[in-house]
């Protein structure tokens, strides 16, 4: 591979040394490791386009990478070592902020936290929020259509984006940085690149939506007897709080017990254990008193209707944070118990109670002893449907050997309920082939046709997102 031209154009911004490249070749969870011819770190959009033109001329595949926090292996190059990692982390400028139009224009390598901070400094809210926000980039958030905890109110990354600038596979720069809320002037190309996991082009900048900062925020941990009761509470909260309802998270008793066991500072705010809980967040423009009153009235009505058995409402910032921590610390606490099997699934919301009941019974039947760790963004129909090994009697290797059949059981049930096997983490390599099993053949052919049109040489993140499947085969639930 002749890197002379690239070295000359990107002096100091092209890594070829094994040690310097290694952080870019392994993912956050150290689940995948690959090799690459080089890591390029251009510092502007024109540089990204130039790297792509070089790759095209040499027939070298490109793996776009932002903060490298993705959970599906999409940003890790393949083991063969024929591709180039294109890191966007030097695309660092905030190009514009319009507090009245409520938009911010940022380059792809700006971290999510930096966008939130810039918005807050201008008295505005950028509502996308997730645990990796200090490291993940806006480019990566858009490329995976990230979700997080406030999708219920503000939508996912796709809903928060008005315009994009993209370096195409051909190495051209498309400036679609329109700060327009209405634009019916043809195909919505922006939508194609959002959620495409680097397989169609490289996002170099975006126009994002901002919102007013809430005047008051409260959260309550509410004990509920069942997922069905949690849904009844959701309907009540939507009716009473309207747009003030900003998060609605489901937590099982097993999750809370894990956090209590592994996080020293964790305190259970309710006296009695309950099989399920929801964390309800309210954000109000009407000020402290109105927010507290509205929330208390909701909780009273929920207790009266039997949708809830107890509730603890935050009355200070410290309490707000410690209640949220009970939800945010679940993943890490589960990890502290040993190996995990995880699913990031979406379901039509009303089917969630039946799904939980039936799938738990099926798992107990086929895989006795496995422990369920179920939580998630109930208001968005998104569950993190996780499993841990039994406390004894199964080695880590034996447990992990069960992953394929457990995945099949869970994902077949998701498919039968009209759901999706990837709600917010993308397909990457993790779910690529499973998605090919469930997506209708015609949908896969349309996706392949788009890929062929936008990336005819198959150089943009090949081997990610699009699975290999005989497209003449029937879809699992078409037969
Ligand atoms: C602790 C933790 C918590 C998380 N919580 C959530 C959560 O609550 N909700 C949620 O949705 N996700 C969550 N995630 C995963 C989430 O998808 C990522 O954190 C984030 O969106 C990815 O951004 P990144 O910059 O790290 O992208 P990377 O990991 O670098 O890349 C992810 C994918 O996007 C592509 N890509 C990256 N940048 C670009 C670009 N500029 N143009 C084109 N393609 C690009 C890559 O090729 C890859 O396929 C979490 C991850 C961690 C580690």
């Amino acid at each position: 591979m002749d890197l002379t031209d690239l070295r000359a154009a990107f002096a100091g911004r092209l890594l070829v040394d094994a040690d310097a490249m290694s952080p870019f070749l392994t993912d956050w969870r150290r689940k995948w490791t690959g090799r690459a011819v080089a890591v390029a770190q251009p510092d502007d959009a024109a540089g990204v386009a130039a790297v792509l033109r070089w790759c095209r001329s040499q027939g070298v595949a490109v793996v776009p990478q932002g903060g490298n926090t993705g959970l599906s292996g999409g940003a890790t190059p393949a083991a063969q070592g024929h591709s180039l990692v294109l890191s966007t982390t030097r695309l660092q400028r905030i190009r514009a902020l319009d507090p009245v139009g409520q938009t911010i224009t940022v380059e792809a390598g700006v971290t999510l936290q930096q966008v939130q901070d810039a918005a807050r400094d201008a008295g505005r809210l950028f509502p996308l929020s997730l645990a990796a926000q200090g490291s993940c980039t806006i480019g990566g958030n858009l490329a995976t259509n990230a979700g997080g905890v406030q999708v219920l109110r503000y939508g996912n990354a796709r809903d928060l984006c008005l315009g994009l600038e993209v370096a195409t596979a051909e190495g051209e720069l498309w400036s679609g940085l329109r700060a327009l809320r209405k634009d019916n002037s043809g195909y919505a190309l922006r939508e194609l690149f959002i959620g495409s996991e680097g397989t169609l082009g490289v996002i170099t900048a975006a126009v994002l939506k901002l919102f007013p900062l809430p005047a008051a925020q409260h959260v309550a941990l509410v004990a509920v007897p069942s997922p069905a009761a949690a849904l009844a509470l959701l309907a009540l909260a939507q009716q009473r709080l309207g747009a003030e309802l900003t998060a609605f998270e489901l937590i099982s008793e097993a999750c809370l017990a894990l956090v209590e066991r592994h996080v020293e500072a964790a305190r259970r705010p309710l006296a009695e254990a309950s099989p399920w809980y929801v964390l309800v967040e309210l954000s109000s423009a009407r000020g402290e008193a109105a927010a507290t009153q509205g929330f208390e009235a909701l909780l009273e009505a929920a207790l009266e209707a039997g949708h809830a058995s107890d509730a603890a409402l935050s009355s200070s910032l410290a309490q707000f944070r410690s209640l949220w921590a009970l939800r945010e610390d679940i993943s890490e606490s589960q990890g502290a118990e040993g190996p995990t099997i995880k699913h990031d699934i979406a379901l039509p919301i009303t089917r969630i109670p039946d799904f939980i009941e039936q799938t738990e019974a099926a798992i107990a039947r086929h895989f006795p002893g496995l422990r369920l760790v179920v939580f998630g963004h109930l208001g968005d129909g998104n569950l993190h449907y996780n499993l841990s090994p039994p406390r004894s009697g199964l080695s880590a290797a034996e447990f992990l050997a069960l992953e394929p059949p457990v995945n099949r059981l869970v994902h077949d049930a998701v498919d039968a309920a009209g759901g999706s096997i990837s709600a917010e983490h993308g397909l990457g390599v993790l779910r690529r082939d499973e998605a090919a099993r469930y997506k209708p053949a015609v949908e896969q052919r349309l996706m392949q046709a788009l890929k062929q049109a936008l990336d005819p040489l198959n150089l943009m993140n090949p081997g990610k997102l699009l699975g290999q499947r005989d497209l003449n085969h029937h879809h699992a639930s078409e037969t």
Side-chain angles (χ1 to χ4, degrees):
M1 179 68 43
D2 183 6
L3 295 168
T4 320
D5 293 352
L6 208 56
R7 262 189 226 267
F10 292 94
R13 289 163 295 149
L14 191 76
L15 311 176
V16 289
D17 178 73
D19 280 350
M21 285 202 292
S22 82
F24 299 87
L25 304 181
T26 299
D27 73 301
W28 173 280
R29 286 195 287 178
R30 306 195 172 278
K31 219 172 147 89
W32 298 276
T33 298
R35 294 191 300 136
V37 291
V39 175
Q41 301 174 294
D43 41 28
D44 58 20
V48 173
V51 171
L52 294 183
R53 284 197 298 277
W54 180 86
C55 287
R56 186 163 177 258
S57 71
Q58 303 287 316
V60 170
V62 184
V63 181
Q65 189 179 98
N68 199 16
T69 69
L71 298 174
S72 304
T76 308
Q80 292 84 344
H82 303 316
S83 50
L84 175 137
V85 173
L86 195 164
S87 167
T88 59
T89 52
R90 289 197 188 198
L91 275 73
Q92 269 293 332
R93 283 187 314 140
I94 294 181
R95 294 193 193 164
L97 192 152
D98 175 356
V100 177
Q102 302 211 104
T103 61
I104 186 169
T105 306
V106 300
E107 294 188 344
V110 178
T111 65
L112 175 53
Q113 180 80 60
Q114 287 168 328
V115 178
Q116 291 173 355
D117 291 348
R120 191 171 301 112
D121 289 348
R124 292 289 177 270
L125 172 76
F126 182 61
L128 191 67
S129 170
L130 45 99
Q133 62 199 28
S135 312
C136 65
T137 63
I138 284 299
N141 296 151
L142 289 166
T144 58
N145 186 24
V149 288
Q150 296 199 323
V151 173
L152 175 64
R153 163 68 178 93
Y154 300 102
N156 44 30
R158 180 185 298 285
D159 301 307
L160 297 169
C161 179
L162 292 173
L164 279 188
E165 178 185 80
V166 174
T168 69
E170 317 261 303
E172 288 178 311
L173 207 55
W174 167 53
S175 179
L177 287 176
R178 299 175 194 122
L180 303 176
R181 302 203 181 233
K182 290 190 165 184
D183 177 18
N184 282 353
S185 59
Y187 298 143
L189 294 180
R190 174 189 70 207
E191 303 299 342
L192 286 181
F193 293 102
I194 298 174
S196 68
E197 301 182 48
T199 62
L200 299 178
V202 180
I203 297 167
T204 53
V207 184
L208 305 168
K209 287 184 197 170
L210 300 178
F211 296 81
L213 272 174
Q217 262 190 323
H218 287 292
V219 66
L221 186 75
V222 186
V224 295
S226 63
L231 272 194
L233 175 60
L234 174 65
L236 192 67
Q238 281 167 331
Q239 193 192 345
R240 287 186 163 240
L241 305 179
E244 290 189 338
L245 177 65
T246 43
F248 197 92
E249 301 281 310
L250 183 72
I251 302 170
S252 71
E253 166 58 28
C255 296
L256 210 58
L258 275 177
V259 174
E260 220 180 1
R261 198 152 53 241
H262 293 285
V263 180
E264 184 131 5
R267 293 281 168 277
R268 222 178 240 273
L270 302 172
E272 306 250 328
S274 164
W276 295 92
Y277 305 87
V278 287
L279 198 71
V280 187
E281 186 191 71
L282 171 151
S283 307
S284 172
R286 294 178 302 144
E288 201 56 52
T292 313
Q293 213 175 23
F295 217 164
E296 282 173 353
L298 167 72
L299 295 174
E300 256 169 52
L303 291 167
E304 214 164 276
H307 304 329
S309 57
D310 200 0
L313 177 62
S314 68
S315 60
S316 67
L317 187 61
Q319 283 177 1
F320 180 87
R321 290 201 176 125
S322 67
L323 287 178
W324 259 116
L326 295 173
R327 160 67 180 87
E328 281 158 356
D329 291 340
I330 297 172
S331 268
E332 224 176 296
S333 304
Q334 193 192 2
E337 293 261 309
T340 56
I341 298 178
K342 297 189 170 187
H343 308 97
D344 165 40
I345 57 177
L347 293 156
I349 294 181
T350 46
R351 304 197 62 168
I352 286 180
D354 282 350
F355 173 89
I356 288 178
E357 193 184 318
Q358 287 161 13
T359 312
E360 181 174 1
I363 287 191
R365 211 164 42 245
H366 294 285
F367 307 101
L370 296 196
R371 287 181 292 154
L372 284 169
V373 179
V374 178
F375 60 99
H377 316 294
L378 184 66
D380 313 326
N382 176 193
L383 292 182
H384 296 309
Y385 194 88
N386 297 350
L387 296 103
S388 285
R391 284 200 198 290
S392 60
L394 210 57
S395 71
E398 285 166 336
F399 172 68
L400 289 173
L402 297 177
E403 185 160 7
V406 169
N407 288 352
R408 178 61 69 86
L409 185 156
V410 172
H411 289 156
D412 278 358
V414 167
D415 187 53
S420 165
I421 66 162
S422 177
E424 57 176 11
H425 295 162
L427 300 176
V429 288
L430 178 71
R431 298 288 179 230
R432 176 195 64 195
D433 297 332
E434 282 172 279
R437 173 179 161 78
Y438 297 111
K439 273 195 189 297
V442 63
E443 187 174 337
Q444 292 187 63
R445 277 198 291 270
L446 290 172
M447 282 171 58
Q448 297 281 4
L450 285 169
K451 170 76 173 168
Q452 173 67 28
L454 292 172
D455 178 23
L457 301 181
N458 192 27
L459 295 179
M460 296 303 312
N461 218 1
K464 312 290 171 58
L465 189 147
L466 292 166
Q468 302 304 314
R469 187 183 88 140
D470 175 1
L471 293 181
N472 295 318
H473 233 86
H474 282 295
H475 169 228
S477 60
E478 278 169 0
T479 47

